[in-house]
Amino acid sequence: MSTQSNIRIFDTTLRDGEQAPGCSMNLAEKIEVARQLEALKVDVMEAGFAISSPGDFESVQTIANTVKDSYVCSLSRALEKDIDASAEALKGAKLPYIHVFLATSEIHMQHKLRMTPEQVLERTSAMVKYARNYCDEVQFSAEDATRSDRPFLAQVCAAAIQAGARTINIPDTVGYTTPAEMTDLLAWLQANVENADKAVFSVHCHNDLGMAVANSLAGALGGARQIECTVNGIGERAGNAALEEVVMALKVRRDLFGADSRIETTQIARSSRLIYQIIGQGVPLNKAIVGKNAFAHESGIHQHGVLAEKTTYEIMTPESVGVRVNAMVLGKHSGRHAFESRLAELGYALEPAELDAAFAAFKVIADRKKEISDADLEAIVSHRPQVLSPVEPSAQRYELEGFHVHSGKDVTAVCVMRLAHGDEVHEEVSLGDGPVDAAYNAVDKIMGTSEAVLESYNIQATSDGKDALGEVVVKLRAGEQIRTGRGLSTDIIESSILAYLNAANQIAAS
Ligand code: KIV
Ligand code: ZN
């Protein structure tokens, strides 16, 4: 793998990100994310932890068979059976990558692994060698490296390199370190690990003290040539280093880091949005790079400065991360040609059937909303439920025919719901704590989904103004399965119902 002066971006959204509570994804969703990560041009994508479940195995395998332009990685504990499972799942990969990890801190070795340092050393060497029988790109991670004894850590890293690891990853597993310490640690390791120049050093930082991005960049200043991160910084506890922040810091401050990534930064906004649509966790308004306000200049002084000369207050352009400002607006008189060519300008190449569906949705929304912005268009296109939440074609969906809600202060909300199912139309009335609750109860009565539990409900406006589109993402659990549903409308009760129906249809079909 070429390193040159580039920093490799190792994305672990589908592994470390996905294992965080509320961030789980189904197979179709993981494939959608993997395709987007490939468009983003991540160097390595960690697709999962093959041995951890049949579902994870299948997703690593399917992603390995799909992705061609990024290395596809599977995580493995330092155990033969884990490495075998990873190798098996990666068989179809054009660019396979096996990641082996073992803890090196005293606290982990003693209480979790119950292994002596000598055993850890010996196991590292044996398992890296074992993994190298399957592929060239083998990475070793010294879990909890930042709380490990440095001379011992150096010995383990040397053993891994000697055994054939091409990448040595230094995780700050519990988000404990600081930038200065991270720079020093990486520089020290490169000076003290035998044959350090034969491997790429990598950093993997968690955000428990809010320093994951700073620590990752500090690692790069200390000589790391790979940074591990996740889109929107999703991950266990306080999350992982946010890919978009790491990448843009490298780009904007290339003068300081002397290196950049190969990331297609104009795909950042779309990647962030896709993660929201799939896991239903929006980013804060002021989140760097991908927050709604990241490029908003409210103060008069700033506005004046930016109008006179953009660089007065802008260190990067919104366009560079895929955010379009003052873009062309479509409306109800816009024809199919204008719709199609605007989508093409936004980088969407839809199949004819997908285009038909998207144009039909556009027309419905344009009838209610005067101006359709690029953000609205992107929401419309990415809300093709058959793409994000497929229901078997053979399964009969329940479609929304109509609804009526009555709610207010000091009255019980009531909903009359009409759903079409094939040739039949079902109608039910339900009460609830509010209009959404009443509507969901009515859907449950018709579809028989009252046992399903609404795990999460999120709503976000896709653009500004009173007539903005409301985009709802829900997670519905039935037994072991969790399904994500999405809905989009100018009427937030309707988008809430559409999202719920979308998830309930998937449950009914499985
Ligand atoms: O945080 C961590 O230590 C990890 C390793 C498996 C790399 O996620
Ligand atoms: Zn981690």
Side-chain angles (χ1 to χ4, degrees):
M1 196 187 290
S2 136
T3 54
Q4 300 159 17
S5 66
N6 271 11
I7 299 269
R8 279 168 21 190
I9 297 297
F10 177 115
D11 178 274
T12 183
T13 306
L14 291 167
R15 199 278 297 170
D16 224 353
E18 204 261 346
Q19 78 192 39
C23 295
S24 61
M25 306 177 204
N26 63 34
L27 179 61
E29 291 165 342
K30 286 184 186 172
I31 294 166
E32 188 76 12
V33 172
R35 289 216 170 95
Q36 182 55 34
L37 293 175
E38 194 179 22
L40 189 61
K41 284 187 174 287
V42 301
D43 297 277
V44 185
M45 70 177 79
E46 192 160 45
F49 189 178
I51 195 138
S52 67
S53 71
D56 246 50
F57 184 92
E58 192 187 359
S59 47
V60 175
Q61 190 173 48
T62 315
I63 292 169
N65 293 337
T66 308
V67 168
K68 301 289 170 237
D69 193 34
S70 304
Y71 278 84
V72 178
C73 168
S74 173
L75 181 67
S76 333
R77 288 165 298 180
L79 296 171
E80 286 186 3
K81 63 177 181 177
D82 283 37
I83 296 168
D84 291 340
S86 286
E88 182 62 27
L90 292 171
K91 252 186 184 159
K94 183 172 166 219
L95 300 168
Y97 191 112
I98 296 181
H99 180 186
V100 179
F101 76 100
L102 190 59
T104 49
S105 65
E106 188 56 40
I107 191 162
H108 276 233
M109 290 190 292
Q110 194 183 331
H111 299 288
K112 185 182 80 174
L113 299 175
R114 295 185 193 285
M115 288 170 78
T116 63
E118 292 68 34
Q119 288 170 323
V120 165
L121 207 49
E122 195 266 321
R123 176 85 66 84
T124 299
S125 180
M127 290 304 105
V128 168
K129 253 188 216 138
Y130 189 75
R132 276 302 306 267
N133 292 327
Y134 286 117
C135 70
D136 288 343
E137 290 302 333
V138 170
Q139 165 169 320
F140 175 75
S141 283
E143 192 187 9
D144 206 17
T146 52
R147 292 194 300 166
S148 301
D149 171 65
R150 279 195 184 187
F152 177 63
L153 179 62
Q155 262 185 300
V156 176
C157 294
I161 294 170
Q162 170 74 24
R166 295 210 169 161
T167 304
I168 298 295
N169 184 36
I170 305 300
D172 184 27
T173 304
V174 291
Y176 175 76
T177 197
T178 66
E181 199 171 63
M182 200 62 171
T183 304
D184 186 61
L185 175 61
L186 266 292
W188 184 88
L189 285 170
Q190 278 167 98
N192 290 281
V193 169
E194 217 180 307
N195 291 321
D197 59 332
K198 303 226 164 14
V200 167
F201 275 77
S202 165
V203 287
H204 172 113
C205 300
H206 280 266
N207 203 31
D208 299 66
L209 292 173
M211 291 188 279
V213 170
N215 288 336
S216 304
L217 295 168
L221 287 177
R225 280 293 167 268
Q226 173 173 289
I227 296 181
E228 303 200 353
C229 43
T230 61
V231 175
N232 293 350
I234 63 167
E236 279 198 281
R237 308 184 308 278
N240 289 55
L243 179 148
E244 59 280 4
E245 295 179 24
V246 165
V247 164
M248 291 315 289
L250 290 174
K251 195 176 175 77
V252 171
R253 296 309 311 275
R254 203 192 159 112
D255 60 320
L256 184 74
F257 295 105
D260 198 351
S261 72
R262 68 160 197 159
I263 293 293
E264 180 51 60
T265 60
T266 55
Q267 291 290 331
I268 284 178
R270 190 176 299 176
S271 307
S272 166
R273 180 175 173 71
L274 180 67
I275 294 302
Y276 163 69
Q277 288 179 333
I278 287 179
I279 64 170
Q281 282 181 18
V283 296
L285 290 179
N286 64 341
K287 161 88 174 63
I289 318 294
V290 291
K292 192 160 178 285
N293 291 351
F295 294 96
H297 298 281
E298 287 294 331
S299 110
I301 295 174
H302 287 205
Q303 280 176 352
H304 176 78
V306 169
L307 286 176
E309 166 55 49
K310 278 190 172 192
T311 52
T312 45
Y313 285 101
E314 240 177 44
I315 56 167
M316 61 197 146
T317 63
E319 291 80 6
S320 67
V321 299
V323 172
R324 282 161 206 90
V325 281
N326 301 330
M328 197 175 111
V329 162
L330 299 183
K332 76 177 193 180
H333 297 300
S334 306
R336 192 186 164 96
H337 182 68
F339 176 75
E340 193 176 344
S341 54
R342 189 67 202 143
L343 283 186
E345 280 165 35
L346 294 175
Y348 289 93
L350 302 189
E351 297 295 325
E354 292 179 324
L355 191 65
D356 288 346
F359 187 62
F362 164 76
K363 279 292 183 190
V364 171
I365 287 169
D367 255 345
R368 298 184 186 175
K369 188 175 186 322
K370 241 170 101 192
E371 295 185 333
I372 308 273
S373 66
D374 282 347
D376 296 329
L377 269 188
E378 296 212 61
I380 291 169
V381 171
S382 53
H383 262 268
R384 291 159 296 148
Q386 65 278 26
V387 174
L388 282 171
S389 311
V391 170
E392 293 299 318
S394 55
Q396 190 84 66
R397 287 166 185 272
Y398 284 83
E399 307 276 359
L400 182 62
E401 269 272 312
F403 70 94
H404 179 96
V405 282
H406 177 75
S407 73
K409 187 167 164 6
D410 298 332
V411 290
T412 304
V414 57
C415 175
V416 182
M417 176 72 63
R418 282 164 67 83
L419 298 183
H421 190 229
D423 295 335
E424 293 170 14
V425 174
H426 301 261
E427 188 169 81
E428 281 291 350
V429 181
S430 235
L431 302 178
D433 286 340
V436 173
D437 188 38
Y440 286 6
N441 289 338
V443 171
D444 286 342
K445 273 192 185 172
I446 296 172
M447 293 186 65
T449 43
S450 8
E451 295 296 309
V453 177
L454 183 65
E455 293 258 316
S456 68
Y457 170 98
N458 286 278
I459 185 161
Q460 192 164 280
T462 60
S463 50
D464 299 328
K466 282 192 278 189
D467 65 348
L469 290 172
E471 184 178 30
V472 173
V473 181
V474 299
K475 280 197 184 281
L476 201 57
R477 174 195 286 279
E480 286 298 293
Q481 50 168 330
I482 298 184
R483 293 288 184 252
T484 308
R486 303 159 190 88
L488 184 71
S489 171
T490 46
D491 178 327
I492 58 171
I493 306 297
E494 184 175 348
S495 42
S496 302
I497 296 170
L498 290 171
Y500 194 80
L501 266 182
N502 186 211
N505 270 316
Q506 295 172 62
I507 285 175
S510 56

